[in-house]
């Protein structure tokens, strides 16, 4: 038995493993993706990976390890990011994730790439963690979901309401990251969040995630999605509902898991192995 985190898969699998560019569509806009397909006839379970804001870290190390473990893994760009058409908005990110999940399930796409449309799981980091939890909550066919350092955008409106200093700091923080994004600004991003309904918060998703495996991973030294604000309340809400399939842990690392990539990869693969076996 080989270790997919640290070893290449056995030779001679047919068809061989493949990784290459694919084009998916959301709201009429083509989105570039990179699909990693394991060797062997399949059909292989699918893991859609959603990156954070603005997408500097796209978790290709996780995608390759997942493929070695027997999962087809897709990394993609949202509208308005990194040369994609359309405009970046928080709502568009949510729509894009849902549309991409539907696209990989499409019969022609699944058949072409040896995918099992009935076994789809989601993994996301930061904004991506927020997004995969919301996507899974709206799509009961998603088999399992893992959120890593999820930033709970649903708590932002209350945090900046009536606090000019906090709002200005958030505008400035977002503005620093908009270079690869189209049609937006730090001000526009905060204004959109202020207009969101309170039910955008992750804690409110518990009833719609109950009965499915959910993994929440936080980082102890995270200064972007601080665990006390973005992780602990969500864990508490999911335990109290309860979400029976909840697993959660905090790792002694930073927001990007810079010194815990191997450990994180093992946690995610082990979780998927229990939840969506190959």
């Amino acid at each position: 038995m080989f270790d997919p985190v640290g070893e290449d898969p056995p030779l001679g699998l047919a068809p061989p493993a493949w990784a290459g560019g694919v084009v998916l569509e959301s709201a009429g806009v083509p989105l570039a993706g990179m699909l990693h397909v394991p060797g062997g006839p399949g059909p292989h379970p699918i893991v859609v990976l959603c990156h954070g804001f603005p997408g500097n870290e796209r978790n290709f190390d996780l995608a390759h390890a997942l493929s070695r473990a027997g999962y087809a893994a897709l990394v993609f760009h949202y509208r308005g990011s990194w040369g994609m058409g359309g405009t970046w908005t928080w709502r568009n990110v949510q729509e894009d994730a849902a549309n991409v999940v539907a696209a990989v399930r499409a019969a022609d796409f699944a058949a072409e790439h040896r995918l099992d449309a009935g076994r789809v799981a989601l993994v996301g980091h930061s904004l991506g963690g927020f997004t995969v939890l919301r996507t899974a909550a709206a799509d009961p066919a998603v088999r399992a979901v893992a959120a890593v350092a999820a930033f709970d955008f649903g708590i932002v409106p209350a945090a900046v309401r009536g606090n000019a200093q906090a709002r200005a700091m958030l505008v400035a923080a977002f503005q620093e990251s908009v270079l690869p994004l189209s049609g937006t600004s730090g001000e526009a991003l905060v204004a959109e969040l202020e207009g969101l309904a309170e039910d955008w918060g992750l804690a409110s998703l518990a009833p719609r995630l109950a009965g499915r495996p959910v993994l929440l991973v936080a980082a102890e030294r995270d200064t972007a999605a601080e665990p006390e604000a973005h992780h602990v309340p969500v864990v508490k809400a999911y335990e109290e509902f309860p979400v029976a399939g909840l697993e959660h842990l905090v790792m002694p690392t930073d927001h990007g898991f810079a010194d815990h990539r191997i450990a994180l990869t093992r946690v995610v693969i082990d979780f998927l192995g229990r939840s969506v076996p190959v």
Side-chain angles (χ1 to χ4, degrees):
M1 188 70 178
F2 82 101
D3 175 9
V5 178
E7 298 180 58
D8 288 321
L11 296 175
L13 296 174
W18 175 85
V22 294
V23 178
L24 306 129
E25 188 174 291
S26 180
V29 177
L31 303 180
M34 183 75 174
L35 181 65
H36 308 70
V37 182
H44 306 287
I46 311 162
V47 179
V48 176
L49 293 110
C50 291
H51 67 67
F53 167 82
N56 294 311
E57 171 60 70
R58 280 169 279 164
N59 300 292
F60 279 113
D61 57 336
L62 287 178
H64 279 287
L66 286 166
S67 176
R68 293 192 297 271
Y71 298 90
L74 174 73
V75 177
F76 72 98
H77 284 306
Y78 312 112
R79 271 178 283 170
S81 69
W82 301 91
M84 300 303 101
T87 299
W88 174 284
T89 70
W90 305 121
R91 288 189 182 279
N92 281 355
V93 168
Q94 310 307 302
E95 291 176 5
D96 293 346
N99 290 337
V100 165
V101 170
V104 299
R105 284 193 185 123
D108 289 349
F109 188 89
E112 179 182 359
H113 298 292
R114 311 191 310 276
L115 309 181
D116 185 344
R119 290 189 293 161
V120 175
L122 308 181
V123 176
H125 171 250
S126 194
L127 165 63
F130 173 81
T131 299
V132 295
L133 288 168
R134 285 183 51 81
T135 302
D139 186 347
V142 170
R143 295 279 292 272
V145 57
V148 178
F151 189 102
D152 189 353
F153 286 84
I155 69 174
V156 171
V160 301
R161 189 178 298 122
N163 188 332
Q165 182 179 9
R167 188 185 191 280
M169 290 177 62
L170 190 59
V171 168
F174 284 158
Q175 185 63 38
E176 290 178 354
S177 296
V178 298
L179 179 61
L181 308 181
S182 298
T184 192
S185 65
E187 173 61 36
L189 292 171
V190 172
E192 184 185 359
L193 289 174
E194 289 174 314
L196 297 177
E198 293 296 331
D199 66 0
W200 261 54
L202 294 178
S204 68
L205 303 179
R208 289 180 280 166
L209 293 170
R212 283 180 287 171
V214 175
L215 172 65
L216 303 177
V217 185
E220 185 178 302
R221 303 196 308 270
D222 196 334
T223 58
E226 299 93 337
E228 286 302 315
H230 296 267
H231 176 76
V232 173
V234 180
V235 169
K236 181 180 179 182
Y238 290 8
E239 287 181 331
E240 289 180 350
F241 183 76
V243 176
L246 176 66
E247 300 180 30
H248 60 91
L249 72 157
V250 179
M251 291 186 171
T253 187
D254 64 359
H255 185 65
F257 289 70
D259 53 9
H260 274 64
R261 299 300 300 188
I262 299 298
L264 173 64
T265 301
R266 291 196 188 282
V267 166
V268 170
I269 288 178
D270 288 349
F271 167 74
L272 291 173
R274 293 187 297 274
S275 307
V276 190
V278 173

